[in-house]
Amino acid sequence: MQRWRGLEEIPQDWGRSVVTIGSYDGVHRGHQLIIGRTVERARESGVPAVVVTFDPHPSEVVRPGSHPPLLAPHHRRAELMAELGVDAVLVLPFTTGFSKLSPADFIVKVLVDKLHARLVVEGPNFRFGHRAAGDVGYLAELGATYDYEVEVVDLYVTGEAGGGHPFSSTLTRRLVVEGDVEGAAEILGRPHRVEGVVVRGAQRGRELGYPTANVETLPYTAVPADGVYAGWLTANGERMPAAISVGTNPQFDGTERTVEAYAIDRVGLDLYGLHVAVDFLAHVRGQRKFDSVQALLKAIADDVERCRELTGRYDAR
């Protein structure tokens, strides 16, 4: 799959394509409907399927300080889109100048002059251009002038997560922040993932007999609520069952919030400096301070056993 950052990286000889546009943070099940339809229509037409997305999140430029927690960094979104069959991802730097493009200018500069869109696939509430003045109706109206069609896909999927509200990135972020990683997984179609580089911490896990990978998360990462979770730690392409702790380590009066993953039954792992992924399967318990280190060790042993059981049950499905 090709990845471009900015319009100038699009090959000059790029032909017609089927395009969809959006932030697509998390590439959740609703997004998958639109992207999947984009790929399907591209295959029918014998042209590439292209996803256009933005960096940073548009809200940070339009309303500085309002950048939402991210469900997936751009490289992860690209991986997920590639799995869906996308041929190219165009990441447009979302600057103040870019935010002032009128809907018509956006269509001409991006869809017509550069991507030569044959078809644009969007959800019903898609908005674009300065002050989000453009909608799917306007997009279709200009399609008659610039020789492209528009197809609107109903991206709304509902389930038990979030009390039956339509699946969305906003709902998923809320569930993650609340610690409801099971609900978030229902929307995403997979466990929520946090990524980052393993850095040296206070080494207390090692002293207690449970060495953890202290993950320095990427900026704006959506990190689950403080507590203990079952999940997986992936490093060097290997996925390992893990007991994951999120919080400030109140047992030792910590103040810095961290994400730490203990790879169950693994001995001698040296992960310092590696970029790793942590997938959250299930919430085990909240964060708490125990009466003694012995009580803490008993709780950790119980946590690890519970995490071993949950990940084993999931893998057996």
Side-chain angles (χ1 to χ4, degrees):
M1 185 184 74
Q2 298 188 56
R3 303 183 192 184
W4 310 313
R5 185 172 179 85
L7 295 172
E8 64 280 357
E9 292 194 5
I10 301 173
Q12 292 187 353
D13 60 351
W14 188 256
R16 301 300 295 268
S17 57
V18 176
V19 182
T20 187
I21 308 159
S23 292
Y24 291 127
D25 184 24
V27 193
H28 62 64
R29 287 167 56 192
H31 296 154
Q32 291 166 30
L33 291 176
I34 297 178
I35 297 171
R37 182 59 176 164
T38 302
V39 171
E40 182 182 1
R41 291 301 305 272
R43 298 293 179 268
E44 291 173 356
S45 302
V47 299
V50 181
V51 175
V52 179
T53 188
F54 310 99
D55 184 40
H57 194 283
S59 66
E60 180 63 18
V61 175
V62 177
R63 296 178 299 279
S66 66
H67 199 304
L70 294 180
L71 298 167
H74 278 286
H75 72 267
R76 176 61 173 160
R77 293 182 218 178
E79 292 171 359
L80 295 167
M81 291 171 183
E83 291 173 5
L84 293 171
V86 170
D87 298 294
V89 172
L90 168 62
V91 179
L92 292 175
F94 199 89
T95 62
T96 301
F98 185 85
S99 73
K100 293 179 179 178
L101 278 181
S102 69
D105 285 343
F106 178 90
I107 288 171
V108 172
K109 292 179 180 294
V110 179
L111 295 177
V112 178
D113 290 349
K114 289 295 185 177
L115 294 177
H116 310 296
R118 172 176 291 178
L119 172 70
V120 182
V121 181
E122 293 299 338
N125 292 335
F126 173 65
R127 311 287 304 198
F128 66 101
H130 185 50
R131 297 186 182 278
D135 59 14
V136 290
Y138 184 75
L139 187 65
E141 181 182 331
L142 266 65
T145 301
Y146 293 111
D147 188 30
Y148 65 81
E149 297 179 0
V150 173
E151 180 174 332
V152 179
V153 176
D154 184 359
L155 57 79
Y156 292 111
V157 183
T158 60
E160 295 181 5
H165 292 289
F167 290 170
S168 68
S169 297
T170 300
L171 174 59
T172 312
R173 293 184 193 110
R174 176 171 69 79
L175 294 176
V176 168
V177 170
E178 292 174 352
D180 185 0
V181 295
E182 294 97 330
E186 181 189 354
I187 299 174
L188 294 170
R190 64 186 181 279
H192 173 59
R193 170 172 289 190
V194 166
E195 298 186 33
V197 173
V198 177
V199 297
R200 292 191 182 277
Q203 306 289 304
R204 290 200 178 92
R206 187 173 302 277
E207 293 169 3
L208 295 171
Y210 296 93
T212 60
N214 188 346
V215 182
E216 186 175 64
T217 57
L218 300 175
Y220 301 114
T221 294
V223 176
D226 291 357
V228 176
Y229 299 84
W232 294 273
L233 172 66
T234 299
N236 287 329
E238 181 182 7
R239 190 179 78 156
M240 299 165 277
I244 308 156
S245 174
V246 178
T248 58
N249 200 342
Q251 191 71 33
F252 300 98
D253 300 320
T255 57
E256 182 180 356
R257 194 162 186 256
T258 61
V259 176
E260 301 180 60
Y262 166 64
I264 298 173
D265 299 330
R266 295 300 297 266
V267 178
L269 283 177
D270 183 5
L271 303 179
Y272 291 118
L274 294 183
H275 184 95
V276 301
V278 178
D279 294 310
F280 291 81
L281 172 63
H283 181 264
V284 173
R285 66 169 173 87
Q287 181 180 249
R288 57 171 292 201
K289 184 173 183 178
F290 294 87
D291 294 334
S292 65
V293 172
Q294 289 72 24
L296 171 63
L297 285 169
K298 174 64 168 61
I300 293 176
D302 292 342
D303 294 339
V304 168
E305 187 56 37
R306 179 65 174 150
C307 292
R308 181 187 288 110
E309 174 192 347
L310 287 168
T311 54
R313 187 188 308 166
Y314 184 92
D315 284 338
R317 293 204 306 234

